[in-house]
Amino acid sequence: MLTPIAYGLAVVLDLFILFIGLQFLRVPQTAAAGYGVPAKKDGDAVYLTIKGQRDAVYGLVGLALLFFVGVRAEAWFMLVVALLPLTDCVIVLRNGGTKAVAFGIHFATAVVVLIGAVLLFLA
Protein backbone atom coordinates (compact mmCIF):
# COMPACT_ATOMS: atom_id res chain seq x y z
CA MET A 1 0.00 0.00 0.00
CA LEU A 2 2.82 2.41 0.87
CA THR A 3 4.75 1.86 -2.37
CA PRO A 4 2.10 3.23 -4.77
CA ILE A 5 1.63 6.29 -2.54
CA ALA A 6 5.39 6.90 -2.38
CA TYR A 7 5.80 6.53 -6.15
CA GLY A 8 2.73 8.64 -6.87
CA LEU A 9 3.84 11.46 -4.60
CA ALA A 10 7.34 11.40 -6.12
CA VAL A 11 5.97 11.60 -9.66
CA VAL A 12 3.56 14.41 -8.75
CA LEU A 13 6.31 16.42 -7.03
CA ASP A 14 8.73 15.92 -9.94
CA LEU A 15 6.08 16.95 -12.47
CA PHE A 16 5.09 19.91 -10.31
CA ILE A 17 8.61 21.33 -10.15
CA LEU A 18 9.01 20.70 -13.89
CA PHE A 19 5.78 22.68 -14.44
CA ILE A 20 7.00 25.52 -12.21
CA GLY A 21 10.26 25.66 -14.15
CA LEU A 22 8.40 25.83 -17.43
CA GLN A 23 6.19 28.61 -16.03
CA PHE A 24 9.28 30.65 -15.17
CA LEU A 25 10.52 30.18 -18.73
CA ARG A 26 7.13 30.89 -20.34
CA VAL A 27 5.66 33.66 -18.14
CA PRO A 28 8.47 34.78 -15.84
CA GLN A 29 6.77 37.85 -14.35
CA THR A 30 3.66 35.92 -13.36
CA ALA A 31 5.70 33.01 -11.99
CA ALA A 32 7.86 35.38 -9.93
CA ALA A 33 4.77 36.92 -8.36
CA GLY A 34 3.54 33.44 -7.43
CA TYR A 35 6.97 32.68 -5.95
CA GLY A 36 6.45 35.52 -3.50
CA VAL A 37 8.96 38.09 -4.73
CA PRO A 38 7.62 39.99 -7.75
CA ALA A 39 10.25 40.72 -10.38
CA LYS A 40 11.17 44.12 -11.71
CA LYS A 41 9.99 44.92 -15.22
CA ASP A 42 12.88 43.50 -17.25
CA GLY A 43 15.77 43.74 -14.83
CA ASP A 44 15.36 40.23 -13.45
CA ALA A 45 14.86 38.39 -16.75
CA VAL A 46 18.14 36.51 -16.54
CA TYR A 47 17.52 35.36 -12.97
CA LEU A 48 14.00 34.25 -13.79
CA THR A 49 15.34 32.23 -16.71
CA ILE A 50 17.95 30.64 -14.45
CA LYS A 51 15.27 29.73 -11.90
CA GLY A 52 13.07 28.28 -14.61
CA GLN A 53 15.89 26.22 -16.04
CA ARG A 54 16.95 25.02 -12.58
CA ASP A 55 13.47 23.93 -11.58
CA ALA A 56 12.72 22.24 -14.89
CA VAL A 57 15.96 20.27 -14.76
CA TYR A 58 15.33 19.21 -11.15
CA GLY A 59 11.96 17.85 -12.19
CA LEU A 60 13.46 15.92 -15.09
CA VAL A 61 16.31 14.56 -12.97
CA GLY A 62 13.83 13.39 -10.34
CA LEU A 63 11.76 11.55 -12.93
CA ALA A 64 14.86 10.02 -14.53
CA LEU A 65 16.15 8.80 -11.17
CA LEU A 66 12.82 7.27 -10.25
CA PHE A 67 12.30 5.47 -13.54
CA PHE A 68 15.85 4.53 -14.54
CA VAL A 69 17.79 4.16 -11.27
CA GLY A 70 15.22 3.34 -8.64
CA VAL A 71 13.31 4.33 -5.58
CA ARG A 72 16.35 4.60 -3.28
CA ALA A 73 18.08 7.12 -5.57
CA GLU A 74 14.88 9.18 -5.81
CA ALA A 75 14.54 9.13 -2.02
CA TRP A 76 18.06 10.54 -1.55
CA PHE A 77 17.46 13.07 -4.31
CA MET A 78 14.27 14.30 -2.64
CA LEU A 79 15.95 14.46 0.75
CA VAL A 80 18.63 16.76 -0.66
CA VAL A 81 16.28 18.74 -2.90
CA ALA A 82 14.12 19.61 0.13
CA LEU A 83 16.79 22.22 0.86
CA LEU A 84 15.63 24.25 -2.15
CA PRO A 85 12.16 25.19 -0.89
CA LEU A 86 13.67 25.86 2.55
CA THR A 87 16.08 28.36 1.02
CA ASP A 88 13.25 29.74 -1.12
CA CYS A 89 11.39 30.40 2.14
CA VAL A 90 14.33 32.44 3.43
CA ILE A 91 14.69 34.28 0.12
CA VAL A 92 11.03 35.32 0.19
CA LEU A 93 11.29 36.53 3.79
CA ARG A 94 14.51 38.46 3.13
CA ASN A 95 13.10 40.20 0.06
CA GLY A 96 9.84 41.59 1.39
CA GLY A 97 7.57 38.63 0.68
CA THR A 98 4.84 37.71 3.09
CA LYS A 99 5.16 35.10 5.82
CA ALA A 100 2.04 33.46 4.40
CA VAL A 101 3.77 32.80 1.08
CA ALA A 102 7.13 31.92 2.64
CA PHE A 103 5.69 29.35 5.02
CA GLY A 104 2.43 28.47 3.25
CA ILE A 105 4.11 27.69 -0.07
CA HIS A 106 7.85 27.17 0.35
CA PHE A 107 8.13 25.72 3.86
CA ALA A 108 5.06 23.55 3.26
CA THR A 109 6.62 22.30 0.02
CA ALA A 110 9.80 21.35 1.88
CA VAL A 111 7.73 19.37 4.38
CA VAL A 112 5.86 17.54 1.62
CA VAL A 113 9.12 16.74 -0.19
CA LEU A 114 10.60 15.39 3.06
CA ILE A 115 7.50 13.25 3.61
CA GLY A 116 7.89 11.97 0.06
CA ALA A 117 11.53 11.09 0.74
CA VAL A 118 10.62 9.22 3.93
CA LEU A 119 7.86 7.30 2.14
CA LEU A 120 10.30 6.33 -0.60
CA PHE A 121 12.85 5.14 1.95
CA LEU A 122 10.13 3.00 3.54
CA ALA A 123 8.84 1.62 0.22
Side-chain angles (χ1 to χ4, degrees):
M1 174 70 175
L2 194 57
T3 301
I5 294 170
Y7 273 92
L9 183 58
V11 170
V12 166
L13 289 170
D14 289 336
L15 289 173
F16 184 65
I17 196 64
L18 174 61
F19 172 77
I20 289 172
L22 294 175
Q23 286 297 98
F24 268 91
L25 294 172
R26 198 174 64 79
V27 285
Q29 300 295 328
T30 303
Y35 176 83
V37 181
K40 299 174 190 133
K41 277 290 181 199
D42 287 319
D44 292 336
V46 171
Y47 295 109
L48 297 176
T49 301
I50 292 167
K51 171 141 175 56
Q53 178 183 354
R54 177 196 82 168
D55 288 352
V57 168
Y58 278 125
L60 291 173
V61 168
L63 290 169
L65 284 172
L66 185 61
F67 291 112
F68 298 116
V69 180
V71 68
R72 195 63 131 188
E74 176 73 4
W76 280 108
F77 174 74
M78 289 178 72
L79 187 65
V80 172
V81 166
L83 293 171
L84 293 172
L86 288 175
T87 58
D88 288 343
C89 180
V90 173
I91 290 167
V92 169
L93 291 172
R94 282 187 167 176
N95 289 281
T98 67
K99 288 181 181 178
V101 170
F103 292 106
I105 295 174
H106 300 293
F107 187 81
T109 299
V111 170
V112 172
V113 171
L114 287 172
I115 290 169
V118 168
L119 291 174
L120 287 169
F121 278 121
L122 295 174

